[in-house]
């Protein structure tokens, strides 16, 4: 996978490349939606998802992560999008989400959803938009 913003970086869906301990630290300590998430819960989430790692080409170090819960036929939920603080501001988050979108496109999914409290403009640039009929949707659990 490659986009123009990925000079010096690469994206992989190979689960063997994921640094699960790093992902857990990022999310459980720095991501408002996952603060305090246990390592066991994070590892279970990774195991049940399509995972995207962002890596520095020179060092091989993981610098970002995104996770998709999907049946690869009708629906996907994009979650746990995270870019390491030291590489933020380079467009890598947008590049990662664009790569996720493009990876899922051949599946012909009816919808790809996500939730964000603070990055609406980032996701809008990639094609996401607010729900036109939010009154149709319901949730069981935390809101």
């Amino acid at each position: 996978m490659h986009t123009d913003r990925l000079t010096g970086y690469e994206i992989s869906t190979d689960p063997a490349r994921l640094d699960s301990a790093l992902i857990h630290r990022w999310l459980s300590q720095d991501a408002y939606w996952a603060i305090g998430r246990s390592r066991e819960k994070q590892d279970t989430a990774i195991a049940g998802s399509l995972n995207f790692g962002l890596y520095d080409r020179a060092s091989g170090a993981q610098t970002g992560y995104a996770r998709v819960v999907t049946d690869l036929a009708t629906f996907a939920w994009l979650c746990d999008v995270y870019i390491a603080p030291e590489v933020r501001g380079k467009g890598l988050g947008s590049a990662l989400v664009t790569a996720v979108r493009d990876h899922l496109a051949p599946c012909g999914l009816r919808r790809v959803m996500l939730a964000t409290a603070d990055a609406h403009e980032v996701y809008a640039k990639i094609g996401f938009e607010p729900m036109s009929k939010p009154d149709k949707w319901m949730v069981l659990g935390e809101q």
Side-chain angles (χ1 to χ4, degrees):
M1 293 179 200
H2 180 76
T3 70
D4 293 339
R5 296 182 192 145
L6 287 175
T7 302
Y9 296 88
E10 63 183 329
I11 295 170
S12 173
T13 58
D14 180 357
R17 291 188 68 185
L18 295 172
D19 184 337
S20 298
L22 178 63
I23 293 166
H24 175 254
R25 184 169 44 86
W26 282 341
L27 297 176
S28 69
Q29 296 178 13
D30 190 43
Y32 68 85
W33 65 90
I35 296 292
R37 185 182 290 169
S38 73
R39 174 68 191 265
E40 179 183 30
K41 188 163 292 276
Q42 185 60 52
D43 287 349
T44 300
I46 289 170
S49 301
L50 173 60
N51 300 280
F52 293 79
L54 174 69
Y55 304 92
D56 180 285
R57 284 186 196 276
S59 69
Q62 187 168 352
T63 55
Y65 176 72
R67 181 169 75 84
V68 179
V69 181
T70 183
D71 59 11
L72 296 174
T74 63
F75 178 81
W77 178 263
L78 172 61
C79 51
D80 290 346
V81 178
Y82 188 91
I83 300 297
E86 63 272 15
V87 296
R88 289 182 187 161
K90 298 179 178 185
L92 296 172
S94 294
L96 179 58
V97 174
T98 298
V100 170
R101 180 199 65 197
D102 294 351
H103 183 91
L104 295 173
C107 298
L109 303 175
R110 183 171 180 186
R111 68 180 49 91
V112 178
M113 297 184 69
L114 62 85
T116 183
D118 59 359
H120 295 80
E121 68 286 342
V122 171
Y123 293 106
K125 291 178 197 173
I126 299 160
F128 286 87
E129 53 191 45
M131 287 185 201
S132 62
K133 297 180 183 178
D135 56 314
K136 287 179 28 172
W137 295 89
M138 298 181 74
V139 63
L140 176 64
E142 190 175 325
Q143 292 192 43

